[in-house]
Structure formats: C-alpha cells, structure tokens
Amino acid sequence: MKTKSSRSAKNSKANSLRPFSSILLDGPDRAPARAMLYPVGFKAEDFQKPIVGIASTWSNVTPCNMHIDKLALESEIGANAAGGKAIIFNTITVSDGISMGTEGMKYSLVSREVIADSIETVVGAEGMDGFVAIGGCDKNMPGSMMAIARMNRPAVFVYGGTILPGCITGDPRKLDIVSVFEAVGAHANKKITDKQLQAVESCAVPGAGSCGGMYTANTMASAIEALGMSLPNSSAQNAISPAKKDDCRRAGAAVVNMLKRGIKPLDILTKKAFENAITVVIALGGSTNAVLHLLAIAHAAKVKLTIDDFTRIGKRVPVLADLKPSGKHLMSELVAIGGIRPLMKILLDAGLLHGDALTVTGQTMAQTLASVKPYPSWQTIIQPFEKPIKKDSHLVIFRGNLASEGAVGKISGKEGLKFTGKAIVFEGEEPALKAILNGTVKAGHVIVIRSEGPKGGPGMREMLSPTSAIMGKGLGKEVALITDGRFSGGSHGFVVGHVTPEAYVGGAIALVKNGDPITIDAEQRELTLDIPAKELAARRKAWRKPAPRYTRGVLAKYAAHVTSASLGAVTDDDLKL
C-alpha cells in the first residue's frame, strides 16, 4: 500500500513536468477544460502528460513555409513518443520576396513582433509546459526566439530548412530569388531580353525551403544553432529531406527531455551564447539583419547586448565562408559537405567560441562538437584561417555625424573599404529604384533612401530591389547606398543601413541635400556628412517632424511603440535590463 507521502512525492514529480498544464487541467473543477480537449484527440491518460505546444508557421503564402505543416506533424510524433502530449497551433508568416519594393514590405518587420506575441499568447493561454517552434522565412525565426525567451519554458527551435537551387536547361548557373532581382536590373540595362527574364523568374525558386544563400533565413538559423537553441545541424539541412524530418521528431522529444532535466531557455541564452552566435554569423558572412534580430532576442532574454559587441567580436573573427550573396556558393552546397558544424568546431579550436555554453541537448557546445568530422579536403566553400575571405568582420558598425547612434554596413571588401561621393536623396524606396533603373543614378553617387526607418516607414523596409538593381546595372563598385531602412540578406555592394537616429525623429539623414559630399569609411567605421557644423545646425533648426503615414491599424501601433534600430527595433517600452 502506498503511503500518503509517497503519493505526494509522485504527484510533486509529475507536476514538475507539468507546471502549467496541471493548473489548467487537474481536479474536478477543471472538468470543462478537459472536456474541450477530448474532441481534439486527448484520451484520459493524456491529461497526466506534459503539454508540448508545436508552434507551426505553415502557410502557402511563401515557399519558405509551405511544407512546415508536415514538419509540425513530425515534431508531434517526437513529443508524444517521449511521453508528452503535443498540441499543434499556427501563427502567421509573410513573404519578403513577394512584398519587396512595395508598401506591403512595411509589414515584414512588424510580423516579427506579431509572431512573438501570438506564440506567447497561445502558450500562455493554454498552459503549455514547453514547446517546439518551427520557422522558415526570415521573421519566423527571431519572432519564435523572442517568444521562447519571454516565456522561459523548455523549448527548441527548428529551422524549416533551405531551398534547393533553381536551374535553366543549358545554363550552368545555380539560381535563387536574388538571381531574379538582379535579372530585373540586367533587363533594365538591356543586358537580357524579356524571354530571358521570364526564364529566370520561372525557374529560380523550384520548391519548398528558405532562400538559398547566406541570406537572413539561413543566417538566423545558423545563429540560433550557435545560441544553443536548436539541435545540432538543424540549421544546415535541406527543407525536403529525411534529415529535416528527423530533426523535427528529435526536437519534440528534446523538449520533454528539457522538462525532465529542468533546463529552461534562459539557462542557455547567456551573454556567452550571444557572443557565439555573433561569431558564427561573421564567419559565415551572414546578413545585416542578424544585428537587428540578435539585439531583439537578447532584449527578450534580458541579456545586455549592444551594437558595439559586434564591433568588439568582429575585430578578431574572420569571414571564412564563400557563400552568396557576395560569394559563390549556396547553402545547399554547404549542407552537402557537412553544414556549419565543422566550421563551429574550427572556431572552437581557435578559441573563438565559448565551449562551456549550454545547449538544448543538455550538453555544452564543446561536448556537442567533440565528434564532429572536418570538411572534406577538396571543398572550397569554407576557407582556412590563413586565407580568409576577409580578415575581420564584414558587419561594420558605423558612427559619425550621419549616424550618431550607429549604422550597420555589410562590407565584404570586394567593393572597397572607403567611398566618397555626392548625395542623391530620395524620400522612400520607390523613387530611388526608378532613378536607378532609368539611369538618373550615376557613378559617384551616394544614394540616400530615407524615411524608411522603424517609425518613419513605418516598418523598416528591406532594400533588396534597389541594391539588386544597382548590381544588375553594373554599378556595384561605382555607387554607394545609405538608408535608415534595412537590407535583405541578399543585398550586397557598398551599402549601409539601420542609420540611427532615423529621419522621422530628426536624425542627420533627414538633413542631407542633393550634392552633399558623403564619406563611408569602413576602416575607421565612420559615416560622415562632409558639410560645416554650422550648416548642419542650421538645417536641424529648420527641420520639422513629418506627419505619421499611418494613424490606425497595426502599422500605426507599431510606429507608436517601436524603438530605434540600434536597440533592435523592439516594441516594448521598458528597455531597462
């Protein structure tokens, strides 16, 4: 016969695995809650199991997410087999590739906040003890991670996986969505015909998965693995593959294991973890959006991370990966030679990663990398330390009288390290794109696209259309571009975004006039408007704040609450850590 104390100990242990679902489901008074769950597949014994949410970002809006409904089912299987009871729920996604260059792109960064809020809402409301979050497109990943950090319940992130390259019969090129954007510029420059443009657009995106270079999706997936919040190699698997299905099943089981071991996200999301993420992003030549998103995730985790941490770490970490957009290779090619794990082992052995950082496996980063095999000797994607793509970071944090609170450049070195030119100023993206395509923009110009910041846009649109048009027009080394908006991970060239303070709040970018000399110095990390201080002061005195572009709806709410890009463009007002 069991004693009262032994039953109490058993119940206590059970409730330690069910700290939230037990409140929701246990006892006679919770019968109505249980009654609501029988129709969705619960059996009586399931009410004694930990509830594991599966946050799916499935949608037919974009190929990045079109397969995630199937991946969610795999995570459900894994959680249930490990002793949990899974519940699948959905959140939104939007497609940057479709909305790019239009007013719709203003909703992109906003979607990051909506995703984070919606996952937090469902997990909190339904008493989930832990959860898996599966993301494909750019904002799914940081949005999921912000929710994971806020809730601090056992959780694992799963990346939906990279797309395979597109191809045209008889053409040796491996195509992706950026190939289409650059083809638009080439078409405007009469380098390709209507038929050739149509051939590229119809073949560049062959199926499911996220954009194929080291653009924002693959960058953030790699960063999250380096944070320790996804299972080993989750970031480097093709979207349609047995490996990705297995990753999803193991993630469901891993959440149950974290519950049993008492491991929570904030045990993992330490300053060391964020430094590991920054290191891996730099070595991979990743997207400027990583700066914005890692700042936002750190804020949610209450970790003090600033843009200056990117400079500090960037001084000692080289760019080693020859990946698109500035390099030659696609993510699927990196997957084929072993993914990012061998690179992480190289960085660890060089003393550039914190090996003692915890991961969702329950092991340290060093333990997870101990048995990783090196890349094959014949590969050329990951360069050796003695012959890096760039000896220090390509992510350059600029300061100066044009960016007193900072700006972010993606300077590979291929476009040079310093550019001085005359400003040609545009209020928003559309007139700038038109001027690039029709030849108004000339060699020697510094294109200034303003009023695209978090508040002023609102929403901080990505400038893939203008930057791709610049490359397509053959002006990649002849012009520079600065903006208070941001860039797609597919952008390359002499470009600087995230200029803060933004134009809408009276930053110096609002005061630039056509013909003003501007210097972008990546070596000194300075962004300078080369006019007398007295003239700048006079312009500032005459400046008037513009009326908001939206006065109701989600964009108006976002603009009212969003912080500066230099702080991650988060939407909660309390920035005290």
Side-chain angles (χ1 to χ4, degrees):
M1 180 178 177
K2 291 184 178 179
T3 65
K4 184 177 180 180
S5 61
S6 67
R7 286 197 303 271
S8 176
K10 184 178 179 180
N11 289 339
S12 175
K13 184 177 180 180
N15 284 347
S16 72
L17 297 182
R18 304 175 55 242
F20 300 99
S21 62
S22 62
I23 298 169
L24 199 76
L25 299 174
D26 290 4
D29 60 320
R30 300 309 302 163
R34 295 192 295 274
M36 292 290 285
L37 289 170
Y38 280 107
V40 300
F42 273 62
K43 298 178 181 178
E45 58 267 25
D46 291 331
F47 295 112
Q48 300 306 310
K49 299 173 183 177
I51 302 298
V52 178
I54 313 293
S56 166
T57 58
W58 170 83
S59 173
N60 269 341
V61 164
T62 169
C64 305
N65 296 65
M66 62 187 277
H67 61 305
I68 286 178
D69 55 338
K70 304 296 192 299
L71 298 184
L73 293 173
E74 299 292 340
S75 286
E76 178 188 34
I77 291 168
N80 290 345
K85 177 56 182 173
I87 299 177
I88 299 173
F89 65 95
N90 259 78
T91 184
I92 67 158
T93 189
V94 300
S95 172
D96 295 356
I98 297 171
S99 62
M100 194 77 69
T102 73
E103 197 75 358
M105 186 63 193
K106 293 182 178 180
Y107 290 90
S108 172
L109 191 56
V110 177
S111 76
R112 184 188 74 179
E113 310 302 302
V114 176
I115 291 163
D117 292 350
S118 63
I119 293 175
E120 176 187 347
T121 298
V122 176
V123 171
E126 303 307 317
M128 293 172 175
D129 301 300
F131 60 104
V132 176
I134 311 173
C137 205
D138 297 7
K139 311 312 164 302
N140 304 166
M141 286 171 269
S144 295
M145 283 303 306
M146 289 160 69
I148 286 170
R150 289 179 195 169
M151 298 306 287
N152 197 31
R153 301 180 188 186
V156 175
F157 177 79
V158 175
Y159 177 40
T162 190
I163 197 169
L164 294 172
C167 61
I168 299 172
T169 303
D171 188 331
R173 291 178 300 166
K174 294 181 177 180
L175 303 176
D176 62 9
I177 188 62
V178 176
S179 307
V180 187
F181 280 96
E182 294 186 358
V184 170
H187 180 265
N189 208 24
K190 306 205 182 304
K191 292 181 179 178
I192 63 172
T193 65
D194 291 350
K195 186 177 180 180
Q196 288 172 313
L197 175 60
Q198 198 279 330
V200 173
E201 75 172 68
S202 64
C203 297
V205 183
S210 297
C211 299
M214 189 46 63
Y215 311 143
T216 303
N218 283 316
T219 297
M220 288 311 302
S222 301
I224 292 168
E225 183 171 334
L227 281 171
M229 286 305 305
S230 59
L231 294 177
N233 228 30
S234 179
S235 67
Q237 294 161 339
N238 295 323
I240 305 302
S241 66
K244 182 47 63 184
K245 289 182 179 180
D246 182 60
D247 182 34
C248 292
R249 286 191 292 271
R250 290 187 298 112
V255 172
V256 177
N257 183 56
M258 290 174 74
L259 278 162
K260 291 176 180 177
R261 299 182 64 169
I263 299 171
K264 295 181 180 180
L266 295 190
D267 300 327
I268 298 167
L269 294 171
T270 63
K271 184 66 176 282
K272 286 183 177 181
F274 282 96
E275 290 180 344
N276 282 350
I278 292 169
T279 297
V280 169
V281 166
I282 292 169
L284 288 169
S287 167
T288 53
N289 281 317
V291 179
L292 195 73
H293 295 326
L294 286 172
L295 289 173
I297 299 167
H299 173 70
K302 298 185 178 180
V303 171
K304 190 171 183 179
L305 190 74
T306 73
I307 55 175
D308 296 323
D309 288 309
F310 288 82
T311 298
R312 174 176 57 83
I313 295 168
K315 289 179 180 179
R316 59 190 180 88
V317 179
V319 178
L320 298 176
D322 187 16
L323 293 166
K324 288 189 173 185
S326 54
K328 297 194 228 23
H329 299 282
L330 290 167
M331 188 67 180
S332 56
E333 296 175 82
L334 183 60
V335 170
I337 63 166
I340 73 166
R341 302 298 289 178
L343 173 62
M344 292 175 68
K345 182 72 165 18
I346 291 168
L347 295 169
L348 177 69
D349 291 344
L352 296 175
L353 283 186
H354 298 290
D356 58 344
L358 186 64
T359 73
V360 291
T361 65
Q363 295 182 307
T364 65
M365 184 62 73
Q367 288 171 327
T368 68
L369 292 170
S371 60
V372 170
K373 296 179 181 178
Y375 291 118
S377 59
W378 48 261
Q379 67 87 26
T380 58
I381 302 173
I382 303 299
Q383 298 298 306
F385 266 99
E386 57 271 19
K387 194 180 177 182
I389 304 291
K390 191 170 184 284
K391 63 181 178 59
D392 54 8
S393 180
H394 65 301
L395 297 176
V396 179
I397 306 300
F398 290 87
R399 304 273 186 179
N401 69 347
L402 254 178
S404 59
E405 294 177 8
V408 182
K410 187 177 185 180
I411 310 297
S412 70
K414 294 180 180 179
E415 58 285 294
L417 295 172
K418 187 174 182 178
F419 191 99
T420 298
K422 300 291 185 181
I424 181 168
V425 182
F426 301 96
E427 297 292 342
E429 178 182 0
E430 288 87 348
L433 177 61
K434 183 178 180 181
I436 295 165
L437 293 175
N438 69 21
T440 301
V441 170
K442 308 287 188 186
H445 274 144
V446 176
I447 303 164
V448 178
I449 303 178
R450 66 189 180 201
S451 304
E452 291 284 5
K455 287 183 176 293
M460 209 178 177
R461 286 192 290 183
E462 292 181 342
M463 302 293 142
L464 181 56
S465 294
T467 58
S468 296
I470 288 168
M471 302 307 291
K473 292 280 282 186
L475 292 170
K477 295 183 179 180
E478 309 300 327
V479 302
L481 188 155
I482 68 170
T483 179
D484 53 5
R486 60 195 175 94
F487 296 113
S488 162
S491 294
H492 57 123
F494 214 111
V495 296
V496 179
H498 308 204
V499 173
T500 54
E502 63 174 288
Y504 183 77
V505 300
I509 193 172
L511 311 177
V512 180
K513 294 183 178 181
N514 285 330
D516 284 347
I518 291 175
T519 298
I520 306 168
D521 189 333
E523 290 185 306
Q524 299 300 315
R525 301 184 181 88
E526 290 181 351
L527 182 59
T528 308
L529 179 60
D530 295 315
I531 64 172
K534 187 175 181 180
E535 169 64 15
L536 188 60
R539 293 184 191 182
R540 182 169 281 114
K541 188 175 181 180
W543 178 83
R544 297 292 179 269
K545 187 175 184 177
R549 288 176 169 165
Y550 291 83
T551 57
R552 61 184 301 176
V554 68
L555 291 178
K557 286 190 285 186
Y558 180 83
H561 291 279
V562 70
T563 61
S564 166
S566 62
L567 299 172
V570 296
T571 53
D572 39 3
D573 295 321
D574 181 11
L575 286 168
K576 295 178 182 177
L577 299 182

